[in-house]
Each structure stands twice: as C-alpha cells, then as structure tokens.
C-alpha cells in the first residue's frame, strides 16, 4: 500500500483553507464555542501554525465573516429575465439556502458578531468591521433590487420600500432560525408577497412606484407569486 504525501500549501492557499475550515465550524456552532485547537485539527495542522497565518481567533473569524458576507450578497443576484415575482422567489430561495447552511454564522453576522474575547483585544474594531460587512451585504442587496426593478436612481420613498423589505427578510430569517416553526417555503413566498404589499402602500404616495407596480402586474403570469397574492386578498373579502 502506498502512502500519499501531503502537499505543501502556499501561504495564500493555506490562508484560504483555514478561512474555509473556520467558516464551516462557525456556521454550525456559535463562534464563541469554536476553539483555535478545533480549527487547527480540522485543517490538519498544528495550533502554532494557525497563529502563523492569523494573529488570533478574532482575525480568523473576521476573515470568515467577510467570505460569508460576499456569499450572502451574491444570493441576491439573478438574471433579469422573466416576471419579477418569479425572480424574487428564486432570490429568497437562495437567501434561505444560505441561512439554512450557515445558521449560527448568519445570526452572529446580523447581530453584530460574538465577542470572540479569547484574544482580549480589538473588540471595538471587530464591531466596526462586522457592521461594515453587514452594511455591504445590505447595499449589495439594495442595488440588485433596483436593477430588478429597472431603476437607476430610486426616489426617497422607493428607497424606503426596498430597504424596509431587505430588513424584513433579515428579521424573518432570524426568527425562522429560532425553532423553524413555519415551513421555510411558506416564508420565502410570504416575503415575495411582502415586497408587493410594501410597494402597493408606497404606490399610494408615489406615482413612480405606482408605475412600477402596474408594470409588475402586467408582466405577472396567472400562476405567479404576485397574482397568487391578489387571489388570496380577494378570497379574504368573500
């Protein structure tokens, strides 16, 4: 039987490997519960070697958060083809895929991250870095939504509608993680309906949003998410 020889990794390759290992561990458990020893063991290296690439768990956690935030932001990207309702439903499915796969990590990211206090330093800088990552995810989602709507520059009221919906998606996902008491697919559809509802309220105050809403309704197929919402609302009054 031949014994394989472990390939020596370059500096950047090893860093990326450690980030991936840490992200996997942080995704399954609270980062406060993950030790450097566990990360080293999962990566197949010694504890001192981890410190060779990262000053401590805080810096490794921030690197993992950065990768996670980039992944999360990419979930809002969608080809601008077909009715908006279907596009938003696919976006919500990918968004909840991430939430499902990275539950503890998603919670930590959206709630500002854990203290990760083992290193004893950098807590204030860590909070600032985490907040910047959260803001970058929200901004990327906002810009993607504007492209889906075919808008270059949003009116103040449309910006309020879109940013409110993004915040609603975040809070809904966090509540879902706490027990998963509502089926995920129902929440994905509900959030698409929520966007239509927010836009409908905004349309009563803003003619530009009203024009967007008419375009959404015109392009929506009879079996699309927005048409389903209208059907449910009509049924309430019968």
């Amino acid at each position: 039987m031949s014994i394989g020889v472990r390939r020596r990794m370059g500096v950047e390759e090893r860093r990326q490997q450690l980030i991936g290992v840490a992200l996997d561990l942080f995704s399954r458990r609270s980062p406060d519960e993950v030790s450097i020893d566990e990360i080293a063991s999962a990566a197949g290296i010694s504890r001192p070697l981890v410190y060779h690439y990262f000053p401590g768990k805080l810096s490794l956690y921030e690197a993992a958060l950065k990768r996670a935030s980039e992944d999360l932001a990419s979930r809002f990207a969608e080809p601008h083809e077909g009715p908006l309702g279907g596009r938003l439903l696919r976006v919500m499915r990918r968004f909840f895929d991430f939430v499902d796969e990275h539950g503890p990590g998603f919670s930590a990211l959206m709630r500002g991250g854990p203290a990760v206090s083992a290193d004893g330093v950098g807590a204030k800088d860590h909070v600032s870095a985490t907040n910047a990552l959260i803001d970058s995810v929200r901004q990327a989602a906002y810009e993607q939504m504007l492209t889906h709507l075919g808008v270059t520059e949003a009116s103040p009221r449309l910006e309020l509608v879109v940013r409110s919906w993004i915040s609603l998606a975040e809070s809904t996902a966090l509540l879902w993680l706490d027990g998963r008491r509502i089926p995920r697919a129902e929440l994905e559809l509900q959030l698409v309906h929520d966007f239509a509802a927010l836009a409908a309220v905004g349309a009563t105050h803003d003619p530009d949003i009203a024009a967007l809403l008419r375009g959404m309704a015109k392009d929506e197929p009879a079996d699309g998410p927005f048409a389903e919402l209208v059907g449910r609302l009509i049924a309430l009054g019968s």
Side-chain angles (χ1 to χ4, degrees), residues 179-203:
R180 308 187 183 211
R181 290 165 289 180
I182 299 176
R184 171 184 151 177
E186 290 183 16
L187 288 182
E188 293 165 356
L189 179 60
Q190 180 179 317
L191 281 165
V192 176
H193 289 171
D194 287 335
F195 180 79
L198 287 169
V201 173

Side-chain angles (χ1 to χ4, degrees), residues 102-126:
H102 304 282
F106 176 81
S107 295
L109 176 63
M110 291 303 158
R111 289 176 173 140
V116 196
S117 56
D119 301 313
V121 294
K124 184 175 180 180
D125 290 341
H126 167 64

Side-chain angles (χ1 to χ4, degrees), residues 222-233:
D223 60 349
F226 294 155
E228 180 184 348
L229 173 61
V230 172
R232 291 190 182 196
L233 291 173

Side-chain angles (χ1 to χ4, degrees), residues 71-236:
D71 184 4
L72 180 55
S74 73
R75 304 296 173 113
F76 286 85
E78 171 73 17
H80 302 155
E81 302 170 355
L84 180 62
R87 279 185 267 155
L88 292 188
L89 187 56
R90 290 191 292 273
V91 166
M92 285 297 95
R93 285 170 180 162
R94 284 199 303 275
F95 175 73
F96 270 87
D97 280 344
F98 181 94
V99 174
D100 205 3
E101 295 163 9
H102 304 282
F106 176 81
S107 295
L109 176 63
M110 291 303 158
R111 289 176 173 140
V116 196
S117 56
D119 301 313
V121 294
K124 184 175 180 180
D125 290 341
H126 167 64
V127 171
S128 296
T130 302
N131 288 339
L133 289 174
I134 296 169
D135 288 342
S136 71
V137 172
R138 290 170 178 158
Q139 184 61 26
Y142 173 72
E143 291 171 0
Q144 284 290 340
M145 283 300 297
L146 291 191
T147 62
H148 284 303
L149 295 170
V151 174
T152 303
E153 186 172 348
S155 67
R157 203 173 295 275
L158 179 58
E159 180 176 0
L160 178 62
V161 166
V162 175
R163 292 196 186 278
S164 295
W165 180 72
I166 292 168
S167 296
L168 179 61
E170 292 174 10
S171 59
T172 298
L174 287 170
L175 286 169
W176 177 73
L177 283 171
D178 185 17
R180 308 187 183 211
R181 290 165 289 180
I182 299 176
R184 171 184 151 177
E186 290 183 16
L187 288 182
E188 293 165 356
L189 179 60
Q190 180 179 317
L191 281 165
V192 176
H193 289 171
D194 287 335
F195 180 79
L198 287 169
V201 173
T204 65
H205 300 276
D206 187 323
D208 290 336
I209 299 179
L212 285 173
L213 198 61
R214 284 192 293 271
M216 288 162 51
K218 179 182 177 182
D219 295 336
E220 184 72 2
D223 60 349
F226 294 155
E228 180 184 348
L229 173 61
V230 172
R232 291 190 182 196
L233 291 173
I234 292 173
L236 287 176

